[in-house]
Amino acid sequence: METTEKQGDLLDKEKRLLHYDILRILAAYLIVMLHLSVQYINKAPDSVEGYLQWQQAVKFSAASRVGVPLFVMLSGAFLLHSDKEVSLSAIFKKYLPKLIIIFVCWSFFYSLAEQNFFYHVPQWGFSRSWQAVEWKVFWPYFIQGHYHMWYLYMLAGLYLITPLLKHIAAQASRTQLIYFVLMCVLVTAVTKMNEVLWHLKIVDMFLEKLSLGFFLGYIGYFLAGFLFRQHRFGWKLSLVVFALALEAFRFTYQETWRMNPMFGFREPSLIYFSNYSPTIFFMSFGVFLLFAKLDFLKPPKPIQQGIACLPQYLLTVYLLHPFIIDWCRRLDWLFPTVQANSLPINGVIVFAVSLGVSIILVQLYRLPVRLIRLVFRTPKC
């Protein structure tokens, strides 16, 4: 009877948090689309038709920029919640060691991939391909990690301050948390905009003297995730957030168009596409708050089970998808980039392939673990 009750409680919890599982899946897809969009928007079009397609691709790319912030907000929503115990001991014995192992394994993989190791193995064989690796190039690349693995470094930094942030989150009122998040948006956005756009020495002077570095970076997203999950927002305040998000999206793509007129650039200026841009902050807040309010969703049970099982594979999808993008291009599985509407379709293709391969990889990893547990399982008396 007790076991049945526990299973029922778990099912209720899964139903209650299903909206966050859907948000995780959406965020992973958006990150895939973001990295695919580079080929669509980073080259100046050479015709009027090409420029119109470029403008449409900028819209898709702008929408995809919320993917990483949503993942950071989801981490904050759960790690900072009161039902999650995150002690200093757990950070250094569980979270950071796991992150280091993931980084080492995947950075080794991508350091080989960068030198076309996996492409050469079928042609040359493993031994010759291994001998062809340039180790002087390999090790600096390994330490830095592939371009998308900056996320693991950033996540490690957030882990280090999570025990302190949990105390802030537990004691602060909703008003104080909103103030904290807005301070993060303000300090981060002003610092970023002055660095890449304004170049005002007086702003640099004030920022240096105020010493508000604690509010810089992704900490605002991290705490915002907790804020939107923990505190109920009425519809009036929610509508303000949604309106800001929509206006931020419109401003992002229209201002990008304005800064990059037809035949007026070689490489586009994408200042407002940064995760530190105020527009990306507000777009991310709007999307997260929308899904936080979808806790009433109750699709059929098979769909619930399907959605609930996917998030466990999404970190692998994130780590794997740049490699899948490269191979899909080599195999000519993707639609041409001349039409902007192919971007979300290519995103679906790469996401689906990445998810399928990730499921296989995770199951292959779990199989020996299960066998070891089966062999050494203590029989019940």
Side-chain angles (χ1 to χ4, degrees):
M1 181 63 180
E2 183 180 357
T3 304
T4 305
E5 289 177 354
K6 287 181 179 178
Q7 289 174 344
D9 291 342
L10 180 60
L11 184 59
D12 289 340
K13 185 177 181 181
E14 287 176 350
K15 286 181 181 178
R16 181 168 54 87
L17 302 179
L18 185 69
H19 50 303
Y20 289 123
D21 288 334
I22 298 172
L23 184 58
R24 286 189 184 94
I25 296 168
L26 173 64
Y29 166 74
L30 290 175
I31 291 172
V32 171
M33 195 167 76
L34 183 157
H35 290 146
L36 281 167
S37 71
V38 172
Q39 281 202 335
Y40 288 78
I41 65 172
N42 277 20
K43 187 175 72 171
D46 55 6
S47 66
V48 175
E49 176 62 26
Y51 185 74
L52 293 175
Q53 292 297 325
W54 179 85
Q55 286 185 313
Q56 184 65 20
V58 164
K59 277 189 177 182
F60 286 129
S61 185
S64 72
R65 299 285 158 164
V66 302
V68 169
L70 288 176
F71 264 131
V72 178
M73 293 175 74
L74 283 163
S75 297
F78 288 89
L79 285 175
L80 298 179
H81 199 266
S82 58
D83 62 5
K84 185 76 172 180
E85 182 65 32
V86 184
S87 63
L88 283 171
S89 176
I91 292 295
F92 288 97
K93 291 183 179 180
K94 176 184 176 183
Y95 290 96
L96 286 179
K98 181 180 178 180
L99 210 56
I100 291 170
I101 291 171
I102 291 171
F103 180 88
V104 167
C105 293
W106 282 96
S107 189
F108 193 89
F109 171 82
Y110 275 106
S111 297
L112 291 176
E114 185 68 14
Q115 299 192 41
N116 290 318
F117 175 82
F118 302 104
Y119 181 73
H120 290 148
V121 166
Q123 300 174 335
W124 298 352
F126 181 86
S127 179
R128 184 183 170 189
S129 300
W130 184 262
Q131 292 174 359
V133 174
E134 296 183 28
W135 297 103
K136 290 184 179 180
V137 177
F138 177 94
W139 290 114
Y141 191 90
F142 170 80
I143 293 171
Q144 181 177 345
H146 197 251
Y147 70 81
H148 71 307
M149 295 181 68
W150 66 269
Y151 181 81
L152 299 180
Y153 275 109
M154 181 273 298
L155 196 58
L158 288 177
Y159 281 164
L160 287 171
I161 61 173
T162 292
L164 302 175
L165 291 179
K166 280 187 71 72
H167 285 286
I168 295 175
Q171 300 299 321
S173 66
R174 187 181 76 164
T175 302
Q176 290 171 331
L177 285 172
I178 292 174
Y179 171 75
F180 192 107
V181 170
L182 289 178
M183 280 294 295
C184 290
V185 175
L186 179 64
V187 173
T188 302
V190 169
T191 302
K192 177 67 177 179
M193 291 296 102
N194 195 55
E195 177 186 325
V196 300
L197 185 61
W198 304 332
H199 307 296
L200 298 174
K201 291 184 179 180
I202 190 171
V203 174
D204 281 336
M205 183 271 291
F206 276 116
L207 289 172
E208 182 179 354
K209 291 187 179 297
L210 288 173
S211 299
L212 295 173
F214 180 69
F215 295 100
L216 281 171
Y218 289 85
I219 187 173
Y221 289 117
F222 200 60
L223 270 168
F226 169 80
L227 169 66
F228 290 133
R229 181 190 174 188
Q230 179 70 13
H231 296 277
R232 301 294 298 181
F233 277 61
W235 279 108
K236 288 184 179 179
L237 185 55
S238 298
L239 288 174
V240 172
V241 177
F242 297 152
L244 284 172
L246 289 173
E247 178 59 24
F249 174 59
R250 185 201 62 80
F251 178 88
T252 298
Y253 69 76
Q254 288 193 350
E255 188 65 13
T256 302
W257 293 351
R258 188 193 66 80
M259 296 174 68
N260 301 280
M262 185 166 42
F263 307 129
F265 65 97
R266 290 186 178 180
E267 294 183 1
S269 175
L270 303 172
I271 292 171
Y272 294 102
F273 280 33
S274 167
N275 291 335
Y276 292 167
S277 165
T279 59
I280 303 303
F281 269 108
F282 289 119
M283 286 165 58
S284 304
F285 294 167
V287 174
F288 192 96
L289 180 57
L290 175 63
F291 276 84
K293 286 188 166 294
L294 296 180
D295 53 356
F296 59 85
L297 287 177
K298 291 185 179 180
K301 191 172 180 180
I303 295 178
Q304 290 187 44
Q305 293 172 339
I307 292 172
C309 77
L310 291 183
Q312 62 184 310
Y313 304 111
L314 295 182
L315 177 59
T316 308
V317 168
Y318 177 82
L319 294 166
L320 180 65
H321 79 270
F323 183 77
I324 298 298
I325 289 174
D326 182 57
W327 276 91
C328 283
R329 285 173 178 158
R330 289 178 187 267
L331 298 172
D332 200 25
W333 286 1
L334 302 180
F335 290 94
T337 60
V338 292
Q339 295 294 323
N341 290 336
S342 68
L343 175 53
I345 299 172
N346 286 339
V348 171
I349 294 171
V350 173
F351 179 79
V353 174
S354 300
L355 180 60
V357 176
S358 297
I359 291 172
I360 294 171
L361 290 176
V362 171
Q363 294 306 319
L364 287 174
Y365 164 76
R366 289 177 178 173
L367 181 60
V369 174
R370 289 170 181 166
L371 289 174
I372 291 171
R373 288 177 178 174
L374 183 64
V375 170
F376 292 98
R377 184 176 62 185
T378 304
K380 295 182 179 179
C381 297

